[in-house]
Amino acid sequence: MITIDDLIPSKYMQDILKKNNFALTDFNKATIIWNSDEPCNERVKKLKEIADNTEDMILKKQIEERLDYEEDAYNAFAKNPDKKYVFVVEDEQGYSCGFFFDFNMAYEYGKKYVKKWEDKEFAITKYHIVDTKEDLTIKRRSGLNWNMFPEEKGVKTEEEYDGHSIGEINCLPDGTIKSIYSHEMSDEREDLVDAYKTERFEHQFFKIPFEVGAGITAVRDVLSGEVGVLMVGTEEWNNYLRRIEEKNLYVDYSDIQVMVVFLTPKGVWSHEHYNPFYLEPVSISCDPGNLKSVAYRQAMESFIEYHMAEMENRDNLDDYAKKVIETAREYRDACLEEQAKKELIHPNAVDHAKTVEELII
């Protein structure tokens, strides 16, 4: 039986769900599995387990439809009997590194390529080869969310060829497939598993409890290890859920999210939206002997103090803001200095250079 511990990466969120006696339904579990970062084979395995054991016949049917669709999409993607398409192998940066008529050859080449260059993944993208004038006109389904734009439901338009792919498979170095998408399936099959159908499991929104204890501000992404500042508290989360219900807003699984900001090497704060299932509270570590580490901690602490002062409507908010800007600049400078040491050149070399040779590294 698949449990909360099997599905929720964050131990902190596991404990919150258990504390609130929050039980995931089979529908919820299927949604989490479908949206996880696990490879396709792992997601398929878990979905089959739920389908085999659930008493929810609607969910069972939806899972079967989804798995049939994915298998057929893969088979359609791999076909190219008349050589009307080309399979392009792309490295982890998205650069093209191989062109094939045969999918299996592209697949085997991709594995060898990433092994040689030690890439963490590769992709195989399928493109239609333009051969006649008719190929310059393509039929495309509307990509707009018809829950918000009802007139777009089922709309298919003729557009000019734009060079976009008709499908892509992303793989790990050993060839394990991470994800697949294809635009080769029939309208009937696409309609069956339409991503905007709110009654289906794939992208369904559901309410979860989320609590932020006293002093919890810094959080870690359990997948990447990246640390940021949580911008949402318990009250804001509950208000968010209440607003969705009161206004009857359209939401999907991606809306189970909170905002987190991350300090970049440029000294600016980048905001991201995270599912709480992937976040855990963390303390900000520091290596006293490392200038960059010290500057990072000071910048993080300054931002946290500012954020708390803002939430409490303190009168001297400008003082906190100035400290945030000052420490962000210090962190930016520390990052530049560290990079300069690696490149054996002063970060302000371009300002002081008197010869071209001084700018050549």
Side-chain angles (χ1 to χ4, degrees):
M1 179 179 178
I2 298 175
T3 67
I4 285 179
D5 292 357
D6 298 322
L7 298 176
I8 311 299
S10 167
K11 180 65 168 59
Y12 178 74
M13 284 303 298
Q14 291 176 19
D15 293 341
I16 285 180
L17 297 184
K18 293 172 185 177
K19 172 188 171 184
N20 286 273
N21 296 315
F22 184 86
L24 292 170
T25 66
D26 286 341
F27 226 94
N28 298 154
K29 292 177 181 179
T31 304
I32 294 171
I33 291 168
W34 179 248
N35 289 277
S36 76
D37 289 332
E38 291 186 305
C40 284
N41 59 343
E42 290 298 321
R43 284 185 284 141
V44 167
K45 179 181 177 181
K46 289 181 178 178
L47 286 174
K48 283 182 176 179
E49 182 178 342
I50 289 180
D52 290 341
N53 293 283
T54 187
E55 295 181 1
D56 186 335
M57 293 300 102
I58 293 177
L59 175 61
K60 181 181 179 70
K61 184 172 185 294
Q62 288 186 9
I63 291 177
E64 291 172 349
E65 291 168 347
R66 168 53 66 181
L67 297 184
D68 286 344
Y69 175 92
E70 293 301 306
E71 183 177 358
D72 291 345
Y74 173 82
N75 290 333
F77 181 93
K79 291 179 180 178
N80 190 18
D82 300 320
K83 296 186 177 180
K84 292 182 178 180
Y85 304 94
V86 60
F87 296 102
V88 180
V89 178
E90 299 173 350
D91 65 15
E92 63 180 356
Q93 278 81 39
Y95 292 110
S96 302
C97 54
F99 305 86
F100 301 84
F101 279 126
D102 183 80
F103 169 75
N104 290 322
M105 290 181 67
Y107 177 73
E108 293 301 325
Y109 172 81
K111 290 192 293 182
K112 291 180 181 178
Y113 185 91
V114 296
K115 183 178 181 180
K116 178 181 178 180
W117 297 105
E118 299 182 347
D119 280 3
K120 296 179 181 178
E121 60 182 60
F122 70 95
I124 301 174
T125 309
K126 188 175 184 180
Y127 292 92
H128 184 253
I129 298 174
V130 175
D131 186 37
T132 66
K133 288 185 177 180
E134 286 73 21
D135 294 331
L136 292 172
T137 301
I138 58 175
K139 290 184 178 181
R140 180 174 292 161
R141 290 167 60 93
S142 172
L144 292 175
N145 186 336
W146 48 261
N147 290 285
M148 293 181 279
F149 303 94
E151 68 279 5
E152 293 294 326
K153 185 175 183 179
V155 172
K156 198 168 187 179
T157 58
E158 288 191 352
E159 303 176 17
E160 289 185 7
Y161 172 78
D162 52 14
H164 287 173
S165 68
I166 63 168
E168 180 177 308
I169 287 180
N170 293 282
C171 303
L172 296 173
D174 64 357
T176 300
I177 296 175
K178 289 178 57 182
S179 62
I180 175 174
Y181 83 83
S182 171
H183 295 309
E184 299 179 84
M185 303 295 283
S186 68
D187 289 344
E188 291 75 19
R189 298 296 298 281
E190 292 287 356
D191 290 338
L192 188 64
V193 296
D194 192 327
Y196 297 129
K197 284 186 175 180
T198 55
E199 70 272 16
R200 288 194 62 85
F201 78 90
E202 287 93 339
H203 303 286
Q204 193 175 97
F205 177 90
F206 56 91
K207 293 181 179 180
I208 63 169
F210 179 61
E211 301 172 3
V212 183
I216 294 178
T217 46
V219 290
R220 179 178 66 91
D221 173 3
V222 297
L223 297 182
S224 71
E226 197 171 9
V227 175
V229 178
L230 179 65
M231 302 296 286
V232 176
T234 306
E235 184 178 355
E236 288 85 359
W237 176 256
N238 291 333
N239 289 338
Y240 172 64
L241 295 182
R242 192 177 303 113
R243 187 166 65 254
I244 290 173
E245 186 171 339
E246 290 175 351
K247 294 184 177 294
N248 193 29
L249 300 175
Y250 168 80
V251 284
D252 58 26
Y253 186 75
S254 68
D255 293 300
I256 306 177
Q257 50 88 8
V258 293
M259 190 169 84
V260 180
V261 294
F262 298 90
L263 180 60
T264 72
K266 294 182 179 180
V268 297
W269 292 85
S270 174
H271 83 279
E272 303 286 346
H273 296 276
Y274 268 85
N275 189 308
F277 292 157
Y278 295 89
L279 297 175
E280 287 185 340
V282 67
S283 59
I284 305 169
S285 59
C286 174
D287 177 3
N290 183 289
L291 179 63
K292 178 181 174 182
S293 179
V294 172
Y296 174 78
R297 182 171 182 172
Q298 290 175 339
M300 288 286 287
E301 291 176 343
S302 296
F303 191 94
I304 289 171
E305 290 173 359
Y306 168 79
H307 180 50
M308 294 180 69
E310 186 179 40
M311 293 178 68
E312 296 171 4
N313 294 313
R314 298 180 197 171
D315 294 333
N316 58 339
L317 189 60
D318 287 346
D319 294 334
Y320 290 98
K322 290 177 182 177
K323 188 66 174 177
V324 169
I325 296 171
E326 177 186 328
T327 55
R329 286 172 177 161
E330 290 174 353
Y331 177 68
R332 185 271 318 270
D333 292 343
C335 290
L336 287 173
E337 185 171 330
E338 181 182 79
Q339 185 64 29
K341 288 178 179 179
K342 292 179 181 179
E343 297 178 351
L344 300 178
I345 188 170
H346 193 277
N348 296 323
V350 69
D351 296 322
H352 304 292
K354 291 183 174 49
T355 66
V356 172
E357 285 70 24
E358 291 179 66
L359 299 180
I360 299 175
I361 59 176

